[in-house]
Amino acid sequence: MTGIRILATGKAVPKREVTNDDMAKIVDTSDEWIKQRTGMSVRHHVSDGENHTMLAEQAARAAIEKSGIDKEDVGVVIVCTVSADYYSPSAACLIQGRLGLKKDIIAFDLGAGCSGFVFGLETIRALMMARNAKYGLIIGAEVLSKKMDMTDRGTCVLFGDGAAAAVVELSDSLYTSVIGVDGDEEMINIKTPNGYIHMDGQGTYKFAVATVPKVIEQVVKAAGLTYDDIDHYVMHQANLRIIESIAKKVKQPMDKFIVNIEKYGNTSAASVGLALDEAFEEGRIKPGDKVLICAFGAGRTWGAVVVEM
């Protein structure tokens, strides 16, 4: 078995909702300005008593419960993140302990920014094959509200907190991937463990609309499919205008694109998982559907996978 299948997903977001009007009380912005440029209306921020590990744990428990698997059969845990509670130990090690998973497993964090969940899928697949693991647990979790300069309206209105998890198994079903990096340290960065997010907004937009359609073309061709064969496109939820531009370039209707950015903002490594979980919960994604998952992010990273559900 050389592919993977997503058995179930789960999510967790902080209780506190921060609206565009709330952000307008902090920086010089407005609901209209944010909506027109990003498609965002609400994002979630952690409050006292909430943290990264809690969100990751809640999402993981939900995914495992919905999957119906025995947690003793989980052989690999990967947490995709740039905002864990600790520099060390890893969030994945904390999840192993909190969930009471077996001890002879691989558990570590993966830092690929907003591309994290796609990089994580490819990585967990390889490790499961190497270790003959029955199931893997991948989590995208971010608490970016603690990484934001609240005086910088170019970034502070964009990012939110949240976590999403997926239980995966090795499978002979359709699986194809395209992964890439064009190393860059300036487009998006957090330069120190306690630093703030810096982002070149225009540069990120240009990179995304130029790169993502090419990556989608590559992975669809590698899968031996056409754009029309894909039932759902799940993009990193960075900006609604980016997603609309991608849809236009690949000549696919927007109703094939899973979009929930208006409710969560940009949650970096959690965004793809949050979109997947909502699509499963709403019954949009069904068994047998061909789903293309694509993301891009810091370091000028990109990745796409085609999976059959």
Side-chain angles (χ1 to χ4, degrees), residues 253-270:
M254 273 299 293
D255 61 10
K256 291 180 72 171
F257 285 74
I258 307 297
V259 178
N260 65 356
I261 192 172
E262 73 281 359
K263 293 189 285 186
Y264 302 109
N266 183 343
T267 55
S268 189

Side-chain angles (χ1 to χ4, degrees), residues 73-133:
D73 292 327
V74 173
V76 183
V77 179
I78 296 177
V79 177
C80 310
T81 188
V82 296
S83 57
D85 290 327
Y86 296 98
Y87 195 70
S88 181
S90 70
C93 286
L94 299 181
I95 292 302
Q96 179 276 330
R98 291 203 176 192
L99 296 185
L101 303 180
K102 64 183 181 181
K103 297 179 181 179
D104 57 334
I105 65 173
I106 294 177
F108 65 95
D109 293 354
L110 185 155
C114 300
S115 299
F117 205 89
V118 178
F119 274 54
L121 286 172
E122 183 73 350
T123 304
I124 206 166
R125 166 181 168 267
L127 288 172
M128 289 172 69
M129 290 172 63
R131 293 178 61 84
N132 195 31

Side-chain angles (χ1 to χ4, degrees), residues 217-230:
E217 179 183 12
Q218 290 170 0
V219 77
V220 168
K221 285 185 176 179
L225 303 173
T226 68
Y227 296 137
D228 292 340
D229 292 327
I230 303 298

Side-chain angles (χ1 to χ4, degrees), residues 259-306:
V259 178
N260 65 356
I261 192 172
E262 73 281 359
K263 293 189 285 186
Y264 302 109
N266 183 343
T267 55
S268 189
S271 81
V272 165
L274 287 171
L276 277 172
D277 185 71
E278 288 211 339
F280 279 122
E281 289 290 303
E282 294 168 1
R284 289 187 63 182
I285 295 179
K286 301 177 178 63
D289 283 354
K290 297 178 179 65
V291 177
L292 189 152
I293 303 168
C294 186
F296 60 91
R300 283 207 296 258
T301 58
W302 62 84
V305 298
V306 173

